[in-house]
Amino acid sequence: MEKGGAGRKKVAVLVGCNYEGTQYKLHGCHNDVLSMRDVLIKRFGFDCSGIQLIMDKPGSPVMPTASNIKSALGRMVDEAQPGDVLFFHFSGHGTLISKHHHHEEAIVALDFNLITSTDFREIVNRVAEGAIFTILSDSCHSGGLIDKEKEQIGPAHIPAPINVAPSTKTHSKFIPFHSLLLHHLSSLTNININNTNTADQRDSGSRLIFGQALKADEGILLSGCQADEVSQDIVEDRPEGRAYGAFSNAVQSVLREHSEPLSNKELVLMARKALEMKHLGKQHPCLYCSDQNAVAPFLAQSETKLPIQFT
């Protein structure tokens, strides 16, 4: 895996989940992470050996269950050293868990178990000091997916709503939480609902996190939308039309057009603009991180490269 100056290591976990064979099937999530792998290699100097692809494709060695995703993230985080660059890209469904006076955002794994904002906070807290852990989540309700991370770009930066272009077919990357419990966890996956990772069962742990003052950390979240919004899975309505996540595609388009290093803040703002230009301005990408990381270059890119030709 890639090592740069001062022994910097670059590692990534890329998860694309299309939920084949379910009523919640998506179309572009595999394409999102395959394209991101090319970006990481060609632009940011990642080595193939440092990138783990987890997709729900026939024959995949590792399926994107909640347990497998957590295990991959745990290994990446626990093996990290100061100066390392860690990246997690998730393209799939998200959901929102409401509990009393607070809520938790969550991503939905293939087995319809959840990885919540509290889970991501616990993972970020394990990152070695001086390592950088960037999460790009192209899923519904992904704003705030790292619990208690500082908002840099969020609801205060809402552009005017724009109608979706007629040349595309969009599918929401959202599964209602009650649907997960009532329609799938018991019947489709044989998972015991009483063991599901819900806000009810995580309440005691959540109180500890909600009640403590967290110091600035190296967690960086680029979310496809705000916590109260949905992200879109796009299928182009034309011959040979592609399928992709709107946010993943916007980020990759911005990186394709700008070879110079972009800060995390610049990248999110440009992705918002790219979505507006495609008439997808109803979802607003967000950024959550420390003030220092807001202006730091995305994935620690330090030198200007020639324009990259990737798809």
Side-chain angles (χ1 to χ4, degrees):
M1 54 190 67
E2 161 71 12
K3 288 192 175 183
R8 170 169 284 170
K9 182 174 59 178
K10 299 179 180 180
V11 190
V13 174
L14 311 180
V15 177
C17 199
N18 276 343
Y19 312 89
E20 296 285 348
T22 78
Q23 71 184 85
Y24 299 114
K25 179 181 177 180
L26 295 173
H27 300 84
C29 300
H30 297 168
N31 294 338
D32 290 342
V33 295
L34 289 170
S35 295
M36 185 58 74
R37 180 181 61 178
D38 289 344
V39 174
L40 295 180
I41 293 169
K42 295 177 181 179
R43 177 175 180 135
F44 294 98
F46 282 65
D47 189 87
C48 289
S49 63
I51 301 173
Q52 182 177 6
L53 272 174
I54 304 178
M55 298 184 292
D56 56 340
K57 295 179 67 173
S60 293
V62 179
M63 286 291 176
T65 64
S67 176
N68 288 339
I69 295 170
K70 286 182 178 180
S71 294
L73 292 176
R75 285 192 301 272
M76 179 172 69
V77 166
D78 292 341
E79 294 172 4
Q81 300 294 322
D84 289 353
V85 177
L86 315 178
F87 181 59
F88 173 54
H89 181 186
F90 177 78
S91 182
H93 279 301
T95 193
L96 191 66
I97 310 165
S98 296
K99 174 65 176 177
H100 301 311
H101 299 296
H102 69 267
H103 59 259
E104 281 191 283
E105 301 81 7
I107 61 173
V108 181
L110 176 62
D111 55 0
F112 294 93
N113 267 317
L114 309 180
I115 305 177
T116 70
S117 55
T118 302
D119 293 322
F120 280 109
R121 164 48 59 196
E122 293 170 350
I123 293 169
V124 168
N125 285 351
R126 289 157 55 187
V127 176
E129 185 175 357
I132 299 170
F133 182 29
T134 302
I135 297 172
L136 191 156
S137 189
D138 193 348
S139 57
C140 293
H141 304 295
S142 47
L145 194 57
I146 304 176
D147 184 43
K148 289 301 187 183
E149 199 65 60
K150 182 175 181 180
E151 179 187 299
Q152 300 288 343
I153 300 173
H157 299 79
I158 301 177
I162 301 174
N163 293 328
V164 176
S167 60
T168 60
K169 295 179 180 178
T170 67
H171 305 270
S172 168
K173 290 187 170 185
F174 169 60
I175 302 178
F177 182 59
H178 65 83
S179 294
L180 290 172
L181 290 177
L182 298 178
H183 300 296
H184 280 272
L185 289 182
S186 59
S187 62
L188 178 63
T189 66
N190 294 318
I191 295 171
N192 186 343
I193 290 177
N194 292 325
N195 291 330
T196 305
N197 183 19
T198 68
D200 285 308
Q201 292 156 342
R202 299 199 53 90
D203 195 33
S204 60
S206 298
R207 279 198 296 270
L208 293 175
I209 291 176
F210 278 105
Q212 64 181 243
L214 296 172
K215 64 180 181 180
D217 54 54
E218 297 304 329
I220 303 168
L221 170 65
L222 290 76
S223 67
C225 61
Q226 296 173 178
D228 61 347
E229 295 177 337
V230 296
S231 292
Q232 300 298 326
D233 182 55
I234 305 296
V235 179
E236 294 178 342
D237 190 16
R238 59 184 177 84
E240 306 301 323
R242 294 190 307 123
Y244 51 82
F247 180 53
S248 296
N249 183 257
V251 167
Q252 292 161 11
S253 296
V254 169
L255 293 173
R256 186 182 299 114
E257 295 167 3
H258 299 269
S259 61
E260 72 278 7
L262 297 175
S263 70
N264 291 298
K265 187 172 184 178
E266 288 173 327
L267 181 56
V268 171
L269 290 174
M270 289 180 180
R272 279 193 170 201
K273 187 65 176 178
L275 290 175
E276 289 179 18
M277 297 294 291
K278 288 193 172 185
H279 304 287
L280 294 168
K282 290 186 177 181
Q283 71 178 81
H284 305 102
C286 301
L287 175 64
Y288 294 81
C289 61
S290 67
D291 293 343
Q292 180 178 352
N293 281 329
V295 297
F298 177 65
L299 296 182
Q301 182 183 354
S302 58
E303 73 268 11
T304 301
K305 292 178 179 276
L306 295 175
I308 301 299
Q309 298 298 320
F310 50 78
T311 59

